[in-house]
């Protein structure tokens, strides 16, 4: 496996309490489970509503493989438009 950097934005960053987290995981779901968070309840409620950019490709599938992936961006739903 390889290390993947996960970057958190807006409400996701607030729930996790960090801007970035490096993880060694096989899938997106495994990586998200490995994240140490400040507000577990808020993160649990938000996690399923987020979009994830896996090396720039949008997904919501927790089974997305991370082998060889360098970057995952966690994008919560944004208000307005």
């Amino acid at each position: 496996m390889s290390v993947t950097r996960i970057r958190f934005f807006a409400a996701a960053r607030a729930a996790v309490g960090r801007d970035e987290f490096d993880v060694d995981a096989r899938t997106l779901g495994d990586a998200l489970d490995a994240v140490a968070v400040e507000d577990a309840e808020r993160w649990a409620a938000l996690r399923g509503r987020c979009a994830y950019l896996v090396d720039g490709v949008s997904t919501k599938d927790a089974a997305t493989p991370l082998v060889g992936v360098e970057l995952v961006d966690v994008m919560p739903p944004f208000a307005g438009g």
Side-chain angles (χ1 to χ4, degrees):
M1 281 189 269
S2 60
V3 173
T4 301
R5 174 153 295 168
I6 303 175
R7 297 188 304 187
F8 301 93
F9 296 91
R13 180 176 49 226
V16 172
R18 317 172 55 161
D19 293 332
E20 298 179 343
F21 187 82
D22 290 337
V23 65
D24 188 1
R26 290 185 186 274
T27 67
L28 177 60
D30 292 342
L32 297 175
D33 289 343
V35 173
V37 300
E38 282 189 5
D39 187 340
E41 188 175 316
R42 184 174 181 186
W43 174 238
L46 181 64
R47 184 175 151 169
R49 299 181 322 165
C50 289
Y52 302 92
L53 296 177
V54 178
D55 276 347
V57 177
S58 181
T59 187
K60 286 189 161 234
D61 184 359
T64 300
L66 294 185
V67 176
V69 169
E70 293 183 23
L71 183 64
V72 173
D73 289 325
V74 180
M75 310 297 290
F78 292 98

